[in-house]
Amino acid sequence: MNPTFVKNLKILRERYPDMAKRLAGAGSGAYHLISPKGSGPPNLAWSTPEKNVMFYDDSMDPLLHVKEVFKGASLERAPFVVLFGVGLGYQLLFLDQLMKDSDRLKRVLVVEKDMECLKLAMEVTDLSGPFSNPDIRILCESPEDDLFTQVKAAMDNLCYRYFKALRWVPWPASLEIDPDYYDAARTAIADMGDLWISLRGNEPYDTLASYENFFRNLDLYDKSPNLRCVENVFEKRPAIIVATGPSLKKNVHQLKLINNKAVIISVDASLKILQDQGIYPHFATTIERTPGINKFFVGLNNMEKTIHLVPSFAHPSSVHAHKGPKLFMTRRYKFFLDLGMEKDVIDMGLSTAIAGFELARLMGCDPIILIGNDLAQAPGGLTHAAGNAFGVKQSTFNVNTFTVPGNLGEDVVTCEIWYKCMKDYETRFATYDGTVVNATEGGARIVGTKIMPFSQAIESYCKEEFAPREKALSIVSQAKGSNPAKDNIHVLKDWKQNSEEAIAQCKKGIEIVNPLLRRLEALDDDMDFVLRSSVRHAMESVDSIISQLTMSPFIFSLQELFHTEIVPLVMEWEVAEDRFDDEDWGNAYRLKLAEFFMGAFGQLCLSLNEALDMGVEALTEAN
C-alpha cells in the first residue's frame, strides 16, 4: 500500500476515527490525479459528463497557485481561518507552516465536501503535520443537515473570540464544484457564532437580576427538593414536550389518551390551554427571570397535580404564582457552580420547551416527542396557539422574518429568535442517545428528529401504563431540600473584594486614556512624534489592565455577567490593526475601545457590589 497514504491514515484514525472509517469506502469518482511535468507536484482534475475537465489548482504550477491565493486572502493578521476545499492538501501544508511561523494564527477550520478528494490528497501529500496539529480541525463529507452540529463540535471558545477577525478562504475550484454546499457551510459557521453569543445572554443587568432573584428566593429554595431527585426515574419511558406553537390545537386533545402512558411536560404558556381541555401535565417548565410570567398561572386549578420546574433565579412573582410542588433548577452559570449548586444545574437553553427536553433527558426518557414546537408562523401570521396569555400574534416574532423548510413539506415563516431555538435544539439532539419525534403538525423542520403525526407517535411509543404522576409526586414529596450556597458566603465576600479591585483598575485606566484621547480628538492633522510616543506608552499600561480585567479568575466566575462587555471588546480588539494602515492610529482606536469598556465594566462592578451585599445578608439570615 502507498506509504504516504498509510502514514496519513494512521494519524487520521487517531484524531478522526469516524472519518477514517468513511474514507475506506471512498472511490475516485469525478476526481483524477494529473501527473506532474518533470519534477513538479501532481495536480488534481475534476470532471463529470456535464462539465469539462477543470484543474483544482493552476495546471502549470499548483504550489505557486496555492501561495498566490493565500497571498490574496491577506492572512498575515488573521487569528482564525476557515478553508473551504482540501484539494491535494497543499493548502493544509501552507496553513500548518503559517501557524508555526506566526504567533498570530490560532485556529484553522477546514471544510471539504468530498471524501474522495481527501483520499487522493492522502495518497500524494504527507499531511501528518496538519493532521496532527490540534489547532487545525477538519470536517469532511458532512451532510448539509449535519454541518451545524459538526461545526459546533469542531469549534471552541477561542474560535469565537476571534470570530470577528475570521478570514474565509473559499478555494475557487471547490466553489465551482458545489457552491451551494460551501454556502451552507458558511451559514452553519455564522449560525454557530450567533448561537454561542445568545446562550451567554445579551443583557448584563438581566444577569444581575438573576443573582438578586436567587437571593430573594432563598427561603423557598431551602425547603424544596433537589432537581437530581428525579434523575433517571423514567428511564426508557416516553415523554411529551408541549410547547405553545399555533399548531397545538390540532393534536393537544390526544394527550388525554396517554395521561398514564407518557410523561407530559408542558411549557408554562401552554398550561391554560391544556387545562381548558381537562389535561393536567405532570411537569411544567419556566425559564424567564423577568416579571410577568405569573400571568400564565392565573385562573389555573389543581396545580398540586403538576410539578413546577422553575429557575432558582426566576422572579419571585413567578415562583409563588404556581401553588403546586416545585423543583428548582439553575442555569450553568459559573456563579451558581462556585456557590456549590451543581446538583441543580441543567442546560436550560433558549426556550422553555428546550428546558422541558433537558428535564426529560435528565429523567432518562426515550423517546422524547414534541408537539406545538412550531418555531414558525401559521397561515394568517399566527405565532402562538389560541389561549396564549400574551395573544396569538405576538409582535416579537414578526420582525426579521424569513423562510425555512417546514415539517409538512412547504417552507414556513420563522424569525431570528425561533431560528436560534431550532439550532439550539439541533445541538442537543446530536448528543442525545435516544429518539426525538417531532409530532408538531406544522411548523419548521428541526434536524435530528423523526417527523410523524402525533396519533402515529402515540400508537408507536405510548403503549404501556406506568402511573407517571403518582411516581413523580411521590419522589418529589419525599425528597429533602438543601442549600449548599449557605456554606459559601466567603465566595461572595471574595468576589466583592475582587470587584473593588477591578473598579480601582478601571479608574486607573480611564485616568491614563482620558486626557490622551481628548488631545487626539482635538487634532487637525496627523499625530506628532510626542503624541505617538504617548500613545505607545499608554497602550502598554492599558493593555496590561485590559488583560487583568478580562482574564482574572474573578471574571471567569462571573463570566455570564461580564460576557456582553468582554466579548465585543476582545473581538474588536483583534481587528483593530486591520482598520488602520498606521499602527499608532490603530492603538489610538484601541485606547478608545478601552475607555468605553472600562467605564461600562466599572459600572457593572458597582452594581454587582450591591447584589453581593444583598447575597451576604440573605445567606447570613438563612444560616
Side-chain angles (χ1 to χ4, degrees), residues 157-184:
N157 286 346
L158 196 62
C159 291
Y160 298 113
R161 171 176 181 151
Y162 297 123
F163 212 72
K164 203 169 185 177
L166 181 156
R167 290 287 192 281
W168 302 93
V169 184
W171 212 254
S174 296
L175 290 191
E176 188 172 346
I177 291 169
D178 196 333
D180 291 342
Y181 181 84
Y182 292 104
D183 185 57

PDB file of all heavy atoms in Angstrom, residues 157-184:
ATOM      1  N   ASN A 157     -14.103  27.954  22.475  1.00  0.00           N
ATOM      2  CA  ASN A 157     -14.267  29.354  22.865  1.00  0.00           C
ATOM      3  C   ASN A 157     -13.257  30.280  22.206  1.00  0.00           C
ATOM      4  O   ASN A 157     -13.553  31.445  21.933  1.00  0.00           O
ATOM      5  CB  ASN A 157     -14.180  29.494  24.386  1.00  0.00           C
ATOM      6  CG  ASN A 157     -15.428  28.973  25.062  1.00  0.00           C
ATOM      7  OD1 ASN A 157     -16.444  28.750  24.418  1.00  0.00           O
ATOM      8  ND2 ASN A 157     -15.356  28.781  26.363  1.00  0.00           N
ATOM      9  N   LEU A 158     -12.043  29.759  21.947  1.00  0.00           N
ATOM     10  CA  LEU A 158     -11.034  30.590  21.302  1.00  0.00           C
ATOM     11  C   LEU A 158     -11.463  30.944  19.878  1.00  0.00           C
ATOM     12  O   LEU A 158     -11.229  32.060  19.406  1.00  0.00           O
ATOM     13  CB  LEU A 158      -9.682  29.872  21.298  1.00  0.00           C
ATOM     14  CG  LEU A 158      -8.461  30.746  20.997  1.00  0.00           C
ATOM     15  CD1 LEU A 158      -8.311  31.824  22.063  1.00  0.00           C
ATOM     16  CD2 LEU A 158      -7.199  29.898  20.934  1.00  0.00           C
ATOM     17  N   CYS A 159     -12.109  30.004  19.195  1.00  0.00           N
ATOM     18  CA  CYS A 159     -12.617  30.297  17.855  1.00  0.00           C
ATOM     19  C   CYS A 159     -13.580  31.475  17.898  1.00  0.00           C
ATOM     20  O   CYS A 159     -13.520  32.387  17.065  1.00  0.00           O
ATOM     21  CB  CYS A 159     -13.338  29.079  17.278  1.00  0.00           C
ATOM     22  SG  CYS A 159     -12.276  27.681  16.868  1.00  0.00           S
ATOM     23  N   TYR A 160     -14.478  31.467  18.890  1.00  0.00           N
ATOM     24  CA  TYR A 160     -15.480  32.526  18.965  1.00  0.00           C
ATOM     25  C   TYR A 160     -14.845  33.863  19.321  1.00  0.00           C
ATOM     26  O   TYR A 160     -15.287  34.911  18.849  1.00  0.00           O
ATOM     27  CB  TYR A 160     -16.554  32.165  19.989  1.00  0.00           C
ATOM     28  CG  TYR A 160     -17.303  30.910  19.631  1.00  0.00           C
ATOM     29  CD1 TYR A 160     -17.191  29.758  20.397  1.00  0.00           C
ATOM     30  CD2 TYR A 160     -18.108  30.872  18.506  1.00  0.00           C
ATOM     31  CE1 TYR A 160     -17.867  28.607  20.055  1.00  0.00           C
ATOM     32  CE2 TYR A 160     -18.799  29.725  18.149  1.00  0.00           C
ATOM     33  CZ  TYR A 160     -18.671  28.594  18.931  1.00  0.00           C
ATOM     34  OH  TYR A 160     -19.340  27.449  18.583  1.00  0.00           O
ATOM     35  N   ARG A 161     -13.809  33.830  20.126  1.00  0.00           N
ATOM     36  CA  ARG A 161     -13.130  35.082  20.473  1.00  0.00           C
ATOM     37  C   ARG A 161     -12.604  35.771  19.218  1.00  0.00           C
ATOM     38  O   ARG A 161     -12.624  37.003  19.100  1.00  0.00           O
ATOM     39  CB  ARG A 161     -11.975  34.790  21.432  1.00  0.00           C
ATOM     40  CG  ARG A 161     -11.092  35.996  21.675  1.00  0.00           C
ATOM     41  CD  ARG A 161     -10.018  35.745  22.693  1.00  0.00           C
ATOM     42  NE  ARG A 161      -9.225  36.956  22.880  1.00  0.00           N
ATOM     43  CZ  ARG A 161      -8.611  37.283  23.996  1.00  0.00           C
ATOM     44  NH1 ARG A 161      -8.713  36.498  25.047  1.00  0.00           N
ATOM     45  NH2 ARG A 161      -7.906  38.384  24.089  1.00  0.00           N
ATOM     46  N   TYR A 162     -12.136  34.971  18.260  1.00  0.00           N
ATOM     47  CA  TYR A 162     -11.547  35.528  17.041  1.00  0.00           C
ATOM     48  C   TYR A 162     -12.544  35.594  15.881  1.00  0.00           C
ATOM     49  O   TYR A 162     -12.152  35.762  14.731  1.00  0.00           O
ATOM     50  CB  TYR A 162     -10.330  34.690  16.641  1.00  0.00           C
ATOM     51  CG  TYR A 162      -9.219  34.715  17.643  1.00  0.00           C
ATOM     52  CD1 TYR A 162      -8.726  33.535  18.198  1.00  0.00           C
ATOM     53  CD2 TYR A 162      -8.658  35.913  18.062  1.00  0.00           C
ATOM     54  CE1 TYR A 162      -7.695  33.556  19.134  1.00  0.00           C
ATOM     55  CE2 TYR A 162      -7.633  35.942  18.999  1.00  0.00           C
ATOM     56  CZ  TYR A 162      -7.162  34.760  19.529  1.00  0.00           C
ATOM     57  OH  TYR A 162      -6.158  34.798  20.451  1.00  0.00           O
ATOM     58  N   PHE A 163     -13.825  35.444  16.199  1.00  0.00           N
ATOM     59  CA  PHE A 163     -14.823  35.299  15.140  1.00  0.00           C
ATOM     60  C   PHE A 163     -14.887  36.529  14.237  1.00  0.00           C
ATOM     61  O   PHE A 163     -15.071  36.424  13.031  1.00  0.00           O
ATOM     62  CB  PHE A 163     -16.188  35.039  15.770  1.00  0.00           C
ATOM     63  CG  PHE A 163     -17.076  34.164  14.935  1.00  0.00           C
ATOM     64  CD1 PHE A 163     -16.808  32.813  14.812  1.00  0.00           C
ATOM     65  CD2 PHE A 163     -18.166  34.683  14.263  1.00  0.00           C
ATOM     66  CE1 PHE A 163     -17.611  31.995  14.040  1.00  0.00           C
ATOM     67  CE2 PHE A 163     -18.971  33.875  13.493  1.00  0.00           C
ATOM     68  CZ  PHE A 163     -18.696  32.536  13.381  1.00  0.00           C
ATOM     69  N   LYS A 164     -14.758  37.696  14.830  1.00  0.00           N
ATOM     70  CA  LYS A 164     -14.861  38.924  14.044  1.00  0.00           C
ATOM     71  C   LYS A 164     -13.667  39.106  13.120  1.00  0.00           C
ATOM     72  O   LYS A 164     -13.751  39.793  12.091  1.00  0.00           O
ATOM     73  CB  LYS A 164     -14.988  40.120  14.986  1.00  0.00           C
ATOM     74  CG  LYS A 164     -15.632  41.336  14.366  1.00  0.00           C
ATOM     75  CD  LYS A 164     -15.967  42.367  15.437  1.00  0.00           C
ATOM     76  CE  LYS A 164     -16.725  43.534  14.837  1.00  0.00           C
ATOM     77  NZ  LYS A 164     -17.129  44.517  15.877  1.00  0.00           N
ATOM     78  N   ALA A 165     -12.540  38.508  13.487  1.00  0.00           N
ATOM     79  CA  ALA A 165     -11.327  38.610  12.682  1.00  0.00           C
ATOM     80  C   ALA A 165     -11.136  37.401  11.766  1.00  0.00           C
ATOM     81  O   ALA A 165     -10.064  37.213  11.196  1.00  0.00           O
ATOM     82  CB  ALA A 165     -10.121  38.764  13.603  1.00  0.00           C
ATOM     83  N   LEU A 166     -12.163  36.597  11.643  1.00  0.00           N
ATOM     84  CA  LEU A 166     -12.091  35.377  10.834  1.00  0.00           C
ATOM     85  C   LEU A 166     -11.813  35.719   9.368  1.00  0.00           C
ATOM     86  O   LEU A 166     -12.338  36.692   8.829  1.00  0.00           O
ATOM     87  CB  LEU A 166     -13.424  34.632  10.967  1.00  0.00           C
ATOM     88  CG  LEU A 166     -13.634  33.305  10.249  1.00  0.00           C
ATOM     89  CD1 LEU A 166     -14.714  32.509  10.983  1.00  0.00           C
ATOM     90  CD2 LEU A 166     -14.076  33.490   8.798  1.00  0.00           C
ATOM     91  N   ARG A 167     -10.992  34.894   8.729  1.00  0.00           N
ATOM     92  CA  ARG A 167     -10.741  35.020   7.286  1.00  0.00           C
ATOM     93  C   ARG A 167     -11.315  33.790   6.581  1.00  0.00           C
ATOM     94  O   ARG A 167     -10.973  32.657   6.902  1.00  0.00           O
ATOM     95  CB  ARG A 167      -9.252  35.095   6.991  1.00  0.00           C
ATOM     96  CG  ARG A 167      -8.580  36.365   7.435  1.00  0.00           C
ATOM     97  CD  ARG A 167      -8.939  37.562   6.558  1.00  0.00           C
ATOM     98  NE  ARG A 167      -8.073  38.683   6.840  1.00  0.00           N
ATOM     99  CZ  ARG A 167      -8.202  39.505   7.882  1.00  0.00           C
ATOM    100  NH1 ARG A 167      -9.185  39.310   8.741  1.00  0.00           N
ATOM    101  NH2 ARG A 167      -7.359  40.512   8.064  1.00  0.00           N
ATOM    102  N   TRP A 168     -12.190  34.043   5.628  1.00  0.00           N
ATOM    103  CA  TRP A 168     -12.738  32.963   4.811  1.00  0.00           C
ATOM    104  C   TRP A 168     -11.819  32.753   3.611  1.00  0.00           C
ATOM    105  O   TRP A 168     -11.448  33.709   2.929  1.00  0.00           O
ATOM    106  CB  TRP A 168     -14.129  33.325   4.294  1.00  0.00           C
ATOM    107  CG  TRP A 168     -15.140  33.648   5.352  1.00  0.00           C
ATOM    108  CD1 TRP A 168     -15.442  34.873   5.844  1.00  0.00           C
ATOM    109  CD2 TRP A 168     -15.999  32.730   6.037  1.00  0.00           C
ATOM    110  NE1 TRP A 168     -16.427  34.783   6.793  1.00  0.00           N
ATOM    111  CE2 TRP A 168     -16.787  33.485   6.939  1.00  0.00           C
ATOM    112  CE3 TRP A 168     -16.168  31.345   5.989  1.00  0.00           C
ATOM    113  CZ2 TRP A 168     -17.746  32.907   7.768  1.00  0.00           C
ATOM    114  CZ3 TRP A 168     -17.123  30.764   6.815  1.00  0.00           C
ATOM    115  CH2 TRP A 168     -17.892  31.536   7.686  1.00  0.00           C
ATOM    116  N   VAL A 169     -11.433  31.511   3.353  1.00  0.00           N
ATOM    117  CA  VAL A 169     -10.650  31.189   2.154  1.00  0.00           C
ATOM    118  C   VAL A 169     -11.417  30.116   1.378  1.00  0.00           C
ATOM    119  O   VAL A 169     -11.166  28.912   1.538  1.00  0.00           O
ATOM    120  CB  VAL A 169      -9.235  30.703   2.497  1.00  0.00           C
ATOM    121  CG1 VAL A 169      -8.431  30.488   1.217  1.00  0.00           C
ATOM    122  CG2 VAL A 169      -8.518  31.702   3.408  1.00  0.00           C
ATOM    123  N   PRO A 170     -12.375  30.511   0.566  1.00  0.00           N
ATOM    124  CA  PRO A 170     -13.100  29.540  -0.265  1.00  0.00           C
ATOM    125  C   PRO A 170     -12.291  29.232  -1.518  1.00  0.00           C
ATOM    126  O   PRO A 170     -12.042  30.117  -2.334  1.00  0.00           O
ATOM    127  CB  PRO A 170     -14.405  30.277  -0.598  1.00  0.00           C
ATOM    128  CG  PRO A 170     -14.067  31.727  -0.493  1.00  0.00           C
ATOM    129  CD  PRO A 170     -12.904  31.873   0.442  1.00  0.00           C
ATOM    130  N   TRP A 171     -11.827  27.992  -1.654  1.00  0.00           N
ATOM    131  CA  TRP A 171     -10.969  27.663  -2.790  1.00  0.00           C
ATOM    132  C   TRP A 171     -11.786  27.762  -4.073  1.00  0.00           C
ATOM    133  O   TRP A 171     -12.908  27.250  -4.150  1.00  0.00           O
ATOM    134  CB  TRP A 171     -10.367  26.274  -2.628  1.00  0.00           C
ATOM    135  CG  TRP A 171      -9.018  26.235  -3.260  1.00  0.00           C
ATOM    136  CD1 TRP A 171      -8.659  25.639  -4.431  1.00  0.00           C
ATOM    137  CD2 TRP A 171      -7.864  26.892  -2.760  1.00  0.00           C
ATOM    138  NE1 TRP A 171      -7.339  25.868  -4.689  1.00  0.00           N
ATOM    139  CE2 TRP A 171      -6.812  26.648  -3.683  1.00  0.00           C
ATOM    140  CE3 TRP A 171      -7.601  27.676  -1.641  1.00  0.00           C
ATOM    141  CZ2 TRP A 171      -5.529  27.144  -3.507  1.00  0.00           C
ATOM    142  CZ3 TRP A 171      -6.318  28.172  -1.459  1.00  0.00           C
ATOM    143  CH2 TRP A 171      -5.304  27.900  -2.389  1.00  0.00           C
ATOM    144  N   PRO A 172     -11.267  28.461  -5.072  1.00  0.00           N
ATOM    145  CA  PRO A 172     -12.038  28.706  -6.300  1.00  0.00           C
ATOM    146  C   PRO A 172     -12.621  27.439  -6.920  1.00  0.00           C
ATOM    147  O   PRO A 172     -13.797  27.418  -7.305  1.00  0.00           O
ATOM    148  CB  PRO A 172     -11.010  29.368  -7.225  1.00  0.00           C
ATOM    149  CG  PRO A 172     -10.037  30.023  -6.291  1.00  0.00           C
ATOM    150  CD  PRO A 172      -9.942  29.123  -5.098  1.00  0.00           C
ATOM    151  N   ALA A 173     -11.826  26.381  -6.991  1.00  0.00           N
ATOM    152  CA  ALA A 173     -12.320  25.149  -7.618  1.00  0.00           C
ATOM    153  C   ALA A 173     -13.427  24.515  -6.789  1.00  0.00           C
ATOM    154  O   ALA A 173     -14.410  24.000  -7.334  1.00  0.00           O
ATOM    155  CB  ALA A 173     -11.170  24.162  -7.802  1.00  0.00           C
ATOM    156  N   SER A 174     -13.308  24.552  -5.471  1.00  0.00           N
ATOM    157  CA  SER A 174     -14.346  23.979  -4.612  1.00  0.00           C
ATOM    158  C   SER A 174     -15.673  24.692  -4.814  1.00  0.00           C
ATOM    159  O   SER A 174     -16.731  24.058  -4.880  1.00  0.00           O
ATOM    160  CB  SER A 174     -13.921  24.075  -3.138  1.00  0.00           C
ATOM    161  OG  SER A 174     -12.772  23.300  -2.913  1.00  0.00           O
ATOM    162  N   LEU A 175     -15.623  26.003  -4.896  1.00  0.00           N
ATOM    163  CA  LEU A 175     -16.859  26.765  -5.100  1.00  0.00           C
ATOM    164  C   LEU A 175     -17.484  26.450  -6.457  1.00  0.00           C
ATOM    165  O   LEU A 175     -18.709  26.413  -6.587  1.00  0.00           O
ATOM    166  CB  LEU A 175     -16.583  28.266  -5.002  1.00  0.00           C
ATOM    167  CG  LEU A 175     -16.241  28.812  -3.616  1.00  0.00           C
ATOM    168  CD1 LEU A 175     -16.265  30.336  -3.643  1.00  0.00           C
ATOM    169  CD2 LEU A 175     -17.203  28.309  -2.560  1.00  0.00           C
ATOM    170  N   GLU A 176     -16.640  26.217  -7.457  1.00  0.00           N
ATOM    171  CA  GLU A 176     -17.186  25.892  -8.776  1.00  0.00           C
ATOM    172  C   GLU A 176     -17.820  24.504  -8.777  1.00  0.00           C
ATOM    173  O   GLU A 176     -18.820  24.264  -9.433  1.00  0.00           O
ATOM    174  CB  GLU A 176     -16.077  25.969  -9.832  1.00  0.00           C
ATOM    175  CG  GLU A 176     -16.617  25.831 -11.257  1.00  0.00           C
ATOM    176  CD  GLU A 176     -15.566  26.106 -12.309  1.00  0.00           C
ATOM    177  OE1 GLU A 176     -14.500  26.669 -11.953  1.00  0.00           O
ATOM    178  OE2 GLU A 176     -15.801  25.764 -13.482  1.00  0.00           O
ATOM    179  N   ILE A 177     -17.239  23.573  -8.004  1.00  0.00           N
ATOM    180  CA  ILE A 177     -17.769  22.205  -7.948  1.00  0.00           C
ATOM    181  C   ILE A 177     -19.124  22.176  -7.267  1.00  0.00           C
ATOM    182  O   ILE A 177     -20.076  21.552  -7.749  1.00  0.00           O
ATOM    183  CB  ILE A 177     -16.767  21.276  -7.214  1.00  0.00           C
ATOM    184  CG1 ILE A 177     -15.517  21.084  -8.082  1.00  0.00           C
ATOM    185  CG2 ILE A 177     -17.415  19.928  -6.893  1.00  0.00           C
ATOM    186  CD1 ILE A 177     -14.371  20.416  -7.348  1.00  0.00           C
ATOM    187  N   ASP A 178     -19.259  22.842  -6.131  1.00  0.00           N
ATOM    188  CA  ASP A 178     -20.545  22.814  -5.411  1.00  0.00           C
ATOM    189  C   ASP A 178     -20.699  24.083  -4.566  1.00  0.00           C
ATOM    190  O   ASP A 178     -20.478  24.071  -3.348  1.00  0.00           O
ATOM    191  CB  ASP A 178     -20.653  21.575  -4.513  1.00  0.00           C
ATOM    192  CG  ASP A 178     -22.087  21.315  -4.073  1.00  0.00           C
ATOM    193  OD1 ASP A 178     -22.870  22.279  -4.000  1.00  0.00           O
ATOM    194  OD2 ASP A 178     -22.427  20.151  -3.804  1.00  0.00           O
ATOM    195  N   PRO A 179     -21.092  25.193  -5.178  1.00  0.00           N
ATOM    196  CA  PRO A 179     -21.209  26.443  -4.424  1.00  0.00           C
ATOM    197  C   PRO A 179     -22.266  26.384  -3.329  1.00  0.00           C
ATOM    198  O   PRO A 179     -22.104  27.001  -2.280  1.00  0.00           O
ATOM    199  CB  PRO A 179     -21.581  27.473  -5.502  1.00  0.00           C
ATOM    200  CG  PRO A 179     -22.165  26.665  -6.620  1.00  0.00           C
ATOM    201  CD  PRO A 179     -21.449  25.362  -6.596  1.00  0.00           C
ATOM    202  N   ASP A 180     -23.347  25.627  -3.556  1.00  0.00           N
ATOM    203  CA  ASP A 180     -24.423  25.572  -2.555  1.00  0.00           C
ATOM    204  C   ASP A 180     -23.957  24.906  -1.263  1.00  0.00           C
ATOM    205  O   ASP A 180     -24.345  25.318  -0.163  1.00  0.00           O
ATOM    206  CB  ASP A 180     -25.633  24.813  -3.116  1.00  0.00           C
ATOM    207  CG  ASP A 180     -26.338  25.572  -4.229  1.00  0.00           C
ATOM    208  OD1 ASP A 180     -26.120  26.798  -4.328  1.00  0.00           O
ATOM    209  OD2 ASP A 180     -27.085  24.936  -4.995  1.00  0.00           O
ATOM    210  N   TYR A 181     -23.134  23.865  -1.393  1.00  0.00           N
ATOM    211  CA  TYR A 181     -22.654  23.163  -0.196  1.00  0.00           C
ATOM    212  C   TYR A 181     -21.805  24.086   0.671  1.00  0.00           C
ATOM    213  O   TYR A 181     -21.991  24.162   1.896  1.00  0.00           O
ATOM    214  CB  TYR A 181     -21.837  21.937  -0.594  1.00  0.00           C
ATOM    215  CG  TYR A 181     -21.323  21.154   0.595  1.00  0.00           C
ATOM    216  CD1 TYR A 181     -22.123  20.204   1.219  1.00  0.00           C
ATOM    217  CD2 TYR A 181     -20.048  21.376   1.118  1.00  0.00           C
ATOM    218  CE1 TYR A 181     -21.666  19.487   2.325  1.00  0.00           C
ATOM    219  CE2 TYR A 181     -19.583  20.664   2.206  1.00  0.00           C
ATOM    220  CZ  TYR A 181     -20.404  19.722   2.804  1.00  0.00           C
ATOM    221  OH  TYR A 181     -19.948  19.032   3.893  1.00  0.00           O
ATOM    222  N   TYR A 182     -20.886  24.802   0.039  1.00  0.00           N
ATOM    223  CA  TYR A 182     -19.999  25.663   0.822  1.00  0.00           C
ATOM    224  C   TYR A 182     -20.726  26.900   1.335  1.00  0.00           C
ATOM    225  O   TYR A 182     -20.362  27.453   2.389  1.00  0.00           O
ATOM    226  CB  TYR A 182     -18.759  26.009   0.000  1.00  0.00           C
ATOM    227  CG  TYR A 182     -17.889  24.794  -0.220  1.00  0.00           C
ATOM    228  CD1 TYR A 182     -17.865  24.135  -1.447  1.00  0.00           C
ATOM    229  CD2 TYR A 182     -17.135  24.267   0.823  1.00  0.00           C
ATOM    230  CE1 TYR A 182     -17.092  22.995  -1.635  1.00  0.00           C
ATOM    231  CE2 TYR A 182     -16.355  23.131   0.649  1.00  0.00           C
ATOM    232  CZ  TYR A 182     -16.341  22.490  -0.579  1.00  0.00           C
ATOM    233  OH  TYR A 182     -15.590  21.359  -0.749  1.00  0.00           O
ATOM    234  N   ASP A 183     -21.756  27.307   0.644  1.00  0.00           N
ATOM    235  CA  ASP A 183     -22.592  28.390   1.175  1.00  0.00           C
ATOM    236  C   ASP A 183     -23.323  27.913   2.431  1.00  0.00           C
ATOM    237  O   ASP A 183     -23.454  28.653   3.413  1.00  0.00           O
ATOM    238  CB  ASP A 183     -23.604  28.841   0.115  1.00  0.00           C
ATOM    239  CG  ASP A 183     -24.417  30.041   0.576  1.00  0.00           C
ATOM    240  OD1 ASP A 183     -23.822  31.082   0.910  1.00  0.00           O
ATOM    241  OD2 ASP A 183     -25.665  29.934   0.625  1.00  0.00           O
ATOM    242  N   ALA A 184     -23.782  26.654   2.406  1.00  0.00           N
ATOM    243  CA  ALA A 184     -24.433  26.086   3.598  1.00  0.00           C
ATOM    244  C   ALA A 184     -23.439  25.971   4.752  1.00  0.00           C
ATOM    245  O   ALA A 184     -23.789  26.195   5.915  1.00  0.00           O
ATOM    246  CB  ALA A 184     -25.014  24.712   3.265  1.00  0.00           C
TER     247      ALA A 184
END
